[in-house]
Amino acid sequence: MAGVTGLAGVLVWTEPDRFAALRSFYVDVLGLTPRSDRAGFVNFEWGEQRLTIHTHAEVSGPNAEPHRVMVNLAVEGIDELVQRARAAGVTVLREAERESWGGLVASLVDPDGSTVQLFELPS
């Protein structure tokens, strides 16, 4: 039977002039290690899940609706990561707060104006 078998990944489009800042946010600020990294394209992988940042000719300017799609990243050391982001000039929308399910959640704004949430799962 045909059907969806899982999530292959998330693709975040940006314009060519904004790519370097977006790449730096994910690589330098958040510390993600690229799986593939070339002009206008960077890809990260965790098992079978992928996050890709890529340029697109039809994308222009910052995100006009920053909450329409949100990238959620599982992290360790959320407080240190939030402090590193703040030191790099990243806007912190929400400090790390404990949720009723036991984990910590913080929200940042990426260089395109999109919201990125960090999740530190309970141990």
Side-chain angles (χ1 to χ4, degrees):
M1 185 167 137
V4 176
T5 61
L7 179 67
V10 174
L11 177 58
V12 176
W13 294 110
T14 191
E15 66 179 317
D17 290 346
R18 301 178 71 80
F19 175 78
L22 213 54
R23 183 200 174 279
S24 179
F25 172 78
Y26 285 97
V27 174
D28 302 326
V29 176
L30 297 183
L32 277 61
T33 302
R35 173 183 169 269
S36 180
D37 195 358
R38 58 185 186 270
F41 179 94
V42 63
N43 174 267
F44 311 97
E45 180 179 72
W46 302 271
E48 293 185 19
Q49 297 177 341
R50 293 185 177 143
L51 171 64
T52 302
I53 313 300
H54 196 8
T55 59
H56 195 292
E58 298 296 319
V59 174
S60 178
N63 186 354
E65 296 184 49
H67 298 293
R68 184 171 294 259
V69 175
M70 188 179 304
V71 175
N72 296 312
L73 299 172
V75 303
E76 293 180 353
I78 195 169
D79 290 320
E80 180 181 334
L81 203 49
V82 169
Q83 291 305 324
R84 185 168 57 197
R86 182 179 281 109
V90 172
T91 298
V92 177
L93 293 176
R94 178 183 180 192
E95 297 293 331
E97 295 177 312
R98 187 147 323 268
E99 293 286 323
S100 61
W101 48 270
L104 294 165
V105 177
S107 300
L108 310 174
V109 178
D110 79 9
D112 265 2
S114 298
T115 302
V116 174
Q117 281 202 150
L118 307 178
F119 287 86
E120 186 169 313
L121 302 174
S123 46

